[in-house]
Amino acid sequence: MTEDQMYLLGSVLLLLVLIALSYRSNRRFGRINTIVFIIYATFITVMGLNYSEHGKALVWLFFGLFFLAVHIAVVSTHLIQYYRKKRERERN
């Protein structure tokens, strides 16, 4: 396994854990994020495997990591807001 694949695998696993946690807060949000993840991951994987000649594999790796980073940020922000609101409700 190459270093690039390790970065992708780590990012995907982190995102899947965050999506699993988001199911507890809002099932609809979790389902939507799962569908979005499957769509862009499939597209980037297919493009990276079939059109990776002449250095294009690096471009698909960049796009994959970029979309994963944005998706992780969105799901993390949702979870942080959810747990803050939950803590405020418990205080009152």
Side-chain angles (χ1 to χ4, degrees):
M1 188 173 266
T2 66
E3 191 174 341
D4 297 339
Q5 291 171 340
M6 297 281 282
Y7 290 137
L8 282 172
L9 181 62
S11 299
V12 167
L13 290 176
L14 175 62
L15 179 62
L16 291 176
V17 167
L18 291 174
I19 288 175
L21 289 174
S22 72
Y23 270 109
R24 298 175 80 192
S25 65
N26 188 345
R27 288 183 186 242
R28 183 176 178 200
F29 181 80
R31 286 185 190 129
I32 290 170
N33 279 294
T34 302
I35 292 168
V36 168
F37 170 69
I38 290 170
I39 290 170
Y40 76 78
T42 303
F43 177 75
I44 289 174
T45 302
V46 167
M47 295 301 282
L49 292 174
N50 294 330
Y51 303 103
S52 60
E53 66 275 348
H54 308 297
K56 291 180 186 175
L58 182 62
V59 172
W60 294 115
L61 173 69
F62 172 76
F63 281 137
L65 289 174
F66 175 75
F67 285 125
L68 283 168
V70 170
H71 203 162
I72 288 170
V74 168
V75 176
S76 298
T77 303
H78 168 76
L79 287 172
I80 290 169
Q81 289 177 350
Y82 170 75
Y83 284 115
R84 281 186 180 172
K85 288 180 183 178
K86 184 177 176 182
R87 183 181 283 173
E88 286 178 12
R89 279 186 241 134
E90 289 174 356
R91 283 187 202 170
N92 296 331

